[in-house]
Amino acid sequence: MTMSETSDMKRIGSRAFLQFWWILLAIVASAITFSLSRSGGQIVQAPHIYNYAWAPAGTDLAPPASDSDTWRSRLWGEVRPSAGAAFWVRASFLLTKEQASSAEAALRLSGVFSARAYVNGVEIGSKGEPGMSAASETPGMVDMVLNLGEGKIVGENDLLLFVSTHHANYRPGNLIHEIAIKPFGDAPKRSIGRYGLALASAGLISALMIVFACGSIVQRGDKALTCASLATGLLLIAFGAESLRAFFNYTYPYHWIRMAGVFFALSGFGIFLLLAVLHHFGVKRMRLLIFVMLIGL
């Protein structure tokens, strides 16, 4: 076998090897697009909590009467409480005999807000200290677990929250992420399982980044491989920022920094992925790919 034939064989093998990683990158990008399209903006509802409603807070700091027209029956949709406001939230939840007699039954509150909680009219604790203004509010942790206390009963219980969001620093799609009944021993931080896709993908994404970076060096600055390595690196940063909440519990005013990190890293991933595909396939083939994608959509 001549040297030229050997060189051709190596080039073909190298190309096939990189094509394999390009296919993996396409699969990862598709999985991310699918997971983002399925992520809704609704509150996480526990099946035993129901009858959610909210109402603006008045200056007297007293909740509206139960039959008042100010109560709105949903926490999301066209009418929802906004950031920088104070409001009341009410709901009902069911407890079994075992839960009502247990000292471990607790209320989990999660989201971009401070709140004071009452069960059957008895205050059980607070997530920070809500107030009618930014000056009177002490921001709470983004995730909090409060013991239900002695006021709980078997069957239906009434939950009332005084909520304020003056330190949100942005206008999220959802202020309240979760209201649920959980064991008091549960850590307030979000479960690692909530970020299973991101954490499970981290190893593959790291491998993709290393392969594309090494390929770029071997191919002497190949633009497609350079952009692909940057895209996967930014994707790794986005997944890291997204799963950060499972490891650190922080006061809710810092939530926007984490979300901004996810947004800009994912935006950068999309831009560099597009550039990588353009450099790899060329403009003519890119038009064909876009046409096929549009047909698929």
Side-chain angles (χ1 to χ4, degrees):
M1 185 179 291
T2 65
M3 292 183 61
S4 62
E5 289 174 337
T6 303
S7 177
D8 289 340
M9 289 290 291
K10 288 182 178 180
R11 190 180 300 110
I12 292 170
S14 175
R15 188 177 301 165
F17 176 75
L18 289 174
Q19 289 289 359
F20 168 76
W21 289 99
W22 273 107
I23 292 170
L24 277 182
L25 179 59
I27 293 171
V28 170
S30 300
I32 293 165
T33 303
F34 177 74
S35 63
L36 289 176
S37 67
R38 290 181 59 85
S39 61
Q42 293 189 351
I43 185 174
V44 179
Q45 299 184 69
H48 43 270
I49 296 185
Y50 54 96
N51 290 340
Y52 288 103
W54 74 278
T59 54
D60 58 356
L61 296 181
S66 58
D67 58 350
S68 172
D69 293 337
T70 59
W71 288 105
R72 286 86 184 266
S73 61
R74 288 186 177 272
L75 293 177
W76 60 86
E78 293 182 1
V79 179
R80 73 177 78 191
S82 62
F87 54 94
W88 293 91
V89 173
R90 72 180 186 188
S92 302
F93 62 92
L94 296 175
L95 291 180
T96 64
K97 183 178 180 180
E98 290 75 16
Q99 289 174 318
S101 59
S102 172
E104 295 301 311
L107 173 70
R108 177 178 175 82
L109 299 174
S110 179
V112 189
F113 62 92
S114 300
R116 191 181 307 120
Y118 303 83
V119 172
N120 299 323
V122 178
E123 183 177 345
I124 64 169
S126 62
K127 180 179 180 288
E129 186 57 43
M132 291 299 294
S133 65
S136 60
E137 178 191 349
T138 301
M141 307 302 287
V142 71
D143 297 304
M144 178 66 71
V145 176
L146 302 173
N147 193 292
L148 289 179
E150 301 299 325
K152 59 186 183 299
I153 60 174
V154 178
E156 185 172 275
N157 292 257
D158 294 324
L159 171 66
L160 185 67
L161 303 174
F162 175 49
V163 179
S164 63
T165 61
H166 300 292
H167 297 272
N169 298 321
Y170 78 120
R171 295 189 176 276
N174 253 355
L175 295 166
I176 299 177
H177 300 162
E178 184 177 15
I179 301 174
I181 304 300
K182 298 286 182 71
F184 185 67
D186 280 6
K189 299 188 295 293
R190 272 192 173 178
S191 168
I192 293 178
R194 293 283 292 273
Y195 304 102
L197 175 63
L199 295 174
S201 304
L204 176 59
I205 296 167
S206 299
L208 282 167
M209 180 180 66
I210 293 171
V211 168
F212 287 131
C214 291
S216 175
I217 294 172
V218 171
Q219 299 291 340
R220 297 182 179 180
D222 181 277
K223 292 181 179 180
L225 294 176
T226 301
C227 290
S229 64
L230 289 172
T232 48
L234 286 166
L235 184 59
L236 200 61
I237 293 172
F239 276 5
E242 175 63 21
S243 58
L244 191 67
R245 192 167 169 180
F247 301 96
F248 300 99
N249 197 12
Y250 48 86
T251 53
Y252 85 80
Y254 293 102
H255 187 68
W256 76 271
I257 299 176
R258 172 175 161 266
M259 298 312 297
V262 173
F263 173 79
F264 286 113
L266 283 178
S267 299
F269 163 72
I271 292 170
F272 280 108
L273 179 62
L274 179 61
L275 290 173
V277 172
L278 279 170
H279 285 300
H280 184 72
F281 293 100
V283 176
K284 291 183 178 180
R285 288 186 180 181
M286 186 62 186
R287 290 173 182 171
L288 177 61
L289 288 172
I290 292 175
F291 177 70
V292 172
M293 289 168 59
L294 290 174
I295 292 176
L297 291 174

